[in-house]
Amino acid sequence: MEAGFVEIKGLEKHFGKTKALSDMDLSLSRGRIIGLLGPNGSGKTTLMKLMNGLIKPDRGSIEINGLRPGPGTKAIVSYLPDRMYIADWMRVRDLLKLFSDFYKDFNREKAEGMLRSLGIGEKDRIRTMSKGTREKVQLIMVMSREAELYLLDEPIGGVDPASRDFILRTILTNYSENATVVISTHLIADVEKVLDEVIFLKEGRLVRQELVDDLREKEEKSVDSLFREIFAVTDQSSGLQNMTDSREGA
């Protein structure tokens, strides 16, 4: 594989005695929508946080466009966490101003247009919105940046099917062809249609990384079917545990 826009080598991360990631090597190219796939506890959120510089690795390295995670990468990385981070007291206009002030690449006009399409006004307060609407607003802010790397942690988790369609459509139509989008999820069937490449994680280890078209041709099955096959034992043995996972190592 060609030299990547994102290069990860020998990456490891522990939380106490728990090893969240083990000896991981990854290379991600520009211009692709990549699925970071695995059940809860596989290391998806940990990897996202490491790439965004929120936590530090115990071993190994991450480089994004030749830079270690820090101020230089925050200027080109747009991150959607797996939890709501917008304060309830804020109005939409406060959120627009916050993003405009913090990010030089924030396209306010694009954000305002998407908000209008949902019937959301600048005077609307976050606390009055449904969970699904808040999820959409948060995604609109993230995707309105002209970033080079988008890290989207479980963007369709916990929302209804109609909201999932909106979220995936927003992702598809609001990133440049030279940017990289990484979508973390365990809802494979919903996102498979938009993915160019997949990364399978299991118990903190890289199981497989492959272009979707190559995988389908080689395996003669869908990404969702292969995912179910690879993770069948995990799903059966730890389904209840997954429902109550703390998400720190998700």
Side-chain angles (χ1 to χ4, degrees):
M1 185 177 289
E2 63 193 57
F5 170 56
V6 179
E7 290 288 346
I8 296 173
K9 297 179 180 179
L11 190 65
E12 291 193 0
K13 181 63 183 177
H14 307 125
F15 295 105
K17 296 182 179 180
T18 302
K19 186 175 286 190
L21 294 176
S22 301
D23 196 26
M24 184 170 294
D25 295 325
L26 280 175
S27 182
L28 309 182
S29 299
R30 287 182 179 272
R32 291 178 181 168
I33 299 180
I34 302 169
L36 183 62
L37 313 179
N40 292 338
S42 60
K44 302 188 302 297
T45 291
T46 298
L47 181 57
M48 288 273 193
K49 288 181 177 179
L50 285 163
M51 292 171 69
N52 198 49
L54 294 176
I55 56 177
K56 294 184 178 181
D58 294 309
R59 180 178 173 273
S61 65
I62 299 174
E63 288 191 355
I64 301 171
N65 201 28
L67 300 172
R68 296 292 178 94
T73 60
K74 289 185 184 298
I76 61 172
V77 176
S78 192
Y79 173 57
L80 180 74
D82 62 336
R83 293 186 176 92
M84 288 296 300
Y85 65 87
I86 302 172
D88 282 352
W89 61 264
M90 297 182 80
R91 295 183 186 272
V92 171
R93 65 188 178 199
D94 300 321
L95 195 56
L96 289 166
K97 185 177 186 307
L98 179 69
F99 269 73
S100 296
D101 290 344
F102 268 83
Y103 303 110
K104 292 181 179 179
D105 62 0
F106 181 68
N107 187 331
R108 179 163 180 158
E109 185 176 344
K110 179 192 288 188
E112 290 173 344
M114 285 191 281
L115 290 166
R116 280 196 302 271
S117 73
L118 292 175
I120 298 172
E122 292 193 17
K123 293 182 180 180
D124 292 353
R125 199 180 293 275
I126 302 301
R127 70 162 60 102
T128 66
M129 299 177 183
S130 67
K131 182 179 184 296
T133 300
R134 280 180 287 171
E135 296 272 5
K136 292 173 186 175
V137 169
Q138 186 165 269
L139 179 71
I140 285 171
M141 295 298 110
V142 169
M143 295 306 300
S144 292
R145 288 185 58 193
E146 307 292 345
E148 296 182 47
L149 175 62
Y150 298 87
L151 300 175
L152 312 178
D153 196 356
E154 297 286 356
I156 62 172
V159 297
D160 59 83
S163 294
R164 290 177 188 175
D165 288 343
F166 172 86
I167 287 169
L168 293 176
R169 190 165 61 251
T170 300
I171 293 168
L172 275 174
T173 57
N174 288 282
Y175 82 101
S176 71
E177 62 181 23
N178 196 43
T180 301
V181 181
V182 181
I183 304 174
S184 162
T185 188
H186 60 278
L187 301 172
I188 316 305
D190 293 285
V191 302
E192 179 172 350
K193 59 188 176 183
V194 308
L195 300 179
D196 301 308
E197 183 177 340
V198 291
I199 296 167
F200 286 174
L201 298 186
K202 183 175 183 179
E203 297 174 353
R205 294 184 178 276
L206 175 64
V207 175
R208 191 162 185 169
Q209 179 183 14
E210 199 157 354
L211 293 175
V212 170
D213 288 344
D214 292 347
L215 185 148
R216 288 179 181 142
E217 182 178 350
K218 187 183 302 182
E219 300 292 342
E220 297 184 340
K221 61 185 67 174
S222 68
V223 174
D224 184 50
S225 296
L226 184 61
F227 178 87
R228 292 174 185 272
E229 181 180 298
I230 291 175
F231 296 105
V233 174
T234 301
D235 290 343
Q236 292 170 8
S237 64
S238 59
L240 181 60
Q241 180 180 350
N242 288 345
M243 292 174 63
T244 58
D245 190 33
S246 68
R247 302 298 292 274
E248 182 58 62

